[in-house]
Amino acid sequence: MTKIYSVTGELQLTDLGTTLIHEHLLLRSEEVTAQFPHLYDEADLYDKAVTALKEVKQRGIDTICDPTVMGIGRDVDFMKRVSEETNVQVIAATGVYSFNEIPPHFANREIDYLAQAFIHDIEKGIQGTDIKASFLKCAADAKGITEDLDKVFRAVARAHKATGVPIMTHSHPASKNGLNQIRIFEEEGVDFSKVMIGHCGDTEDLDYLHEILNKGVFIGMDRYSQGPLSIPKRNITLMKLIEQGYSNKMFLSQDYCCSIDWFDADHEHYKNSPEWSITYLTDKLIPALLEKGVSQGDIDLMMKHNVIDWFTGQK
Ligand SMILES: [Zn+2]
C-alpha cells in the first residue's frame, strides 16, 4: 500500500476525510518570486491562505490536495506553516506546470532524469525538507502536448510506476486533449485507476467525457465558480453524469488560489468569475445539489471516498 503524506507527516487513509482535491494555497510566477521578491508582501500572502483554510475548516473540510508544482511557485515550507496554523491537512505534489516548454535543464536531458527528480520528491522530500509529495501533476492546455510536455507526461508516468502515487492532470477539454494525455499514460503502462484528468468540468461535451470515463480514470469537475463555463452549465453536465452513475469517478473542487500573482485586482479574470471562492462548494454548490435530489451518498463519493480510491487504485 502506498503511504500518503501530508505536509505535516504520514496520513492514514481514514484521516483524509472530506477533501478538496484541487486548490492552491499560493500560486505565483516562481522566477519573479526568486528575482524580484520586493514585489510580494509575504505576510499578506500568508494571511490570505490562513484565512481561506480557516473558512473551509469551519465548514467541515479536512484535507486539501494542492497541485502547485514547478512553474507556479511551489513552496512546501509555506504550505506546512499554513497547515499547522489552520489544522487543515495539505497534501503536496511534484511535477511540472507548463503549457509549452520546460527549463533547458530538463529539456536537454532524458525522460528518466526528470522522473528521478519527481521520485526524489516522493521518496526523500521536497526542496531540502522531509516533506514528501503524495501525488504527481502535469499539464497541457490549448497548445496540446508539445515535445517538452510529452517528456513531462512520460516522466510523470514513470515516477508513478516507480512509486505508486496517483496522477492529476490539467487538461483542455475544448481541444479534447485529455484523450492524448491518456494515450501517453497507456503507452507508459500507467494504472488508470490512479489517474485524474483535471478540468473536465470545463466542457458540456458528454461524448468526450464518456470517452474519458470509459478508460477507467477519474475526472475533475474542479473549477467550480471560475473557468470558461458558467455554473448552471457545469451543473447540467454534472447532474447528467451523476444520473448515469459516474459519481464514483468524479471530484468536485474550485481550483481556487488563495493568492495568485498573474493578475491585478481589476483583471477580467475576477470580473468573469465573481463567485470564485474557496467556500463556493460548501456554501452554495453542495446545498444546491442536495436540493436538486443528489444524494448525500453521491456527495460523499465525490468529496471523500473517491479520494481514497484515487490514492489506492484498483480494488
Ligand atoms: Zn490549479
Side-chain angles (χ1 to χ4, degrees):
M1 163 81 80
T2 313
K3 285 187 177 169
I4 302 173
Y5 296 91
S6 76
V7 293
T8 56
E10 190 175 346
L11 275 186
Q12 303 304 315
L13 286 174
T14 47
D15 295 335
L16 281 165
T18 303
T19 299
L20 292 169
I21 204 78
H22 187 144
E23 315 291 345
H24 301 271
L25 272 55
L26 169 68
L27 193 151
R28 54 182 169 172
S29 312
E30 59 197 32
E31 310 92 321
V32 183
T33 305
Q35 301 302 331
F36 304 99
H38 68 278
L39 295 174
Y40 299 91
D41 179 343
E42 296 293 331
D44 179 58
L45 301 178
Y46 180 74
D47 284 347
K48 285 192 165 100
V50 166
T51 300
L53 266 61
K54 282 184 174 167
E55 284 178 353
V56 294
K57 181 74 182 175
Q58 285 168 0
R59 290 159 172 83
I61 300 294
D62 303 297
T63 304
I64 290 177
C65 292
D66 182 342
T68 308
V69 290
M70 187 181 82
I72 44 176
R74 184 183 59 171
D75 181 343
V76 282
D77 175 64
F78 179 93
M79 292 159 79
K80 184 181 183 190
R81 285 187 287 127
V82 172
S83 175
E84 284 175 342
E85 179 149 353
T86 60
N87 286 319
V88 176
Q89 300 171 141
V90 176
I91 299 183
T94 187
V96 176
Y97 186 100
S98 169
F99 292 168
N100 188 1
E101 294 181 332
I102 57 177
H105 181 92
F106 288 125
N108 295 330
R109 288 178 167 86
E110 296 299 318
I111 295 167
D112 287 331
Y113 179 87
L114 180 54
Q116 283 300 326
F118 299 152
I119 292 167
H120 178 277
D121 281 0
I122 294 162
E123 293 184 342
K124 301 254 171 31
I126 300 168
Q127 295 170 337
T129 72
D130 61 359
I131 299 170
K132 296 181 175 71
S134 274
F135 67 104
L136 286 144
K137 172 76 188 287
C138 46
D141 203 80
K143 289 191 177 79
I145 300 180
T146 63
E147 189 181 340
D148 279 6
L149 296 183
D150 183 86
K151 177 174 274 183
V152 172
F153 274 75
R154 290 183 194 283
V156 160
R158 293 177 194 184
H160 151 86
K161 285 183 70 184
T163 62
V165 308
I167 299 171
M168 176 190 294
T169 78
H170 166 117
S171 74
H172 182 252
S175 59
K176 301 189 179 186
N177 77 359
L179 293 167
N180 293 332
Q181 300 180 352
I182 289 171
R183 181 182 47 74
I184 293 176
F185 292 151
E186 197 156 31
E187 288 170 7
E188 294 286 336
V190 165
D191 173 358
F192 285 164
S193 67
K194 288 187 173 181
V195 172
M196 167 192 168
I197 303 297
H199 304 338
C200 284
D202 287 1
T203 184
E204 302 168 273
D205 183 344
L206 279 166
D207 290 340
Y208 169 71
L209 294 175
H210 285 142
E211 209 173 335
I212 298 256
L213 285 161
N214 287 342
K215 297 285 186 182
V217 300
F218 291 96
I219 61 172
M221 311 302 266
D222 52 8
R223 288 172 114 190
Y224 258 101
S225 70
Q226 61 135 335
L229 206 60
S230 72
I231 292 167
K233 285 181 175 174
R234 287 176 189 275
N235 284 344
I236 290 168
T237 307
L238 178 74
M239 292 293 290
K240 282 184 186 156
L241 290 172
I242 291 173
E243 282 164 21
Q244 292 166 2
Y246 288 112
S247 40
N248 64 340
K249 283 291 177 189
M250 293 193 283
F251 289 109
L252 303 177
S253 213
Q254 301 142 146
D255 196 3
Y256 184 70
C257 302
C258 300
S259 60
I260 175 167
D261 75 344
W262 291 3
F263 316 114
D264 277 329
D266 60 352
H267 191 273
E268 64 178 19
H269 174 80
Y270 300 105
K271 290 180 192 142
N272 295 339
S273 308
E275 297 209 79
W276 194 35
S277 110
I278 200 153
T279 55
Y280 180 78
L281 279 189
T282 49
D283 287 359
K284 303 219 171 138
L285 180 68
I286 292 173
L289 292 176
L290 291 168
E291 186 119 314
K292 286 175 198 279
V294 174
S295 72
Q296 186 63 47
D298 283 330
I299 301 291
D300 288 345
L301 280 169
M302 295 185 283
M303 300 298 296
K304 287 169 90 165
H305 305 306
N306 294 348
V307 186
I308 294 174
D309 287 350
W310 179 59
F311 275 110
T312 54
Q314 294 169 359
K315 286 191 236 173

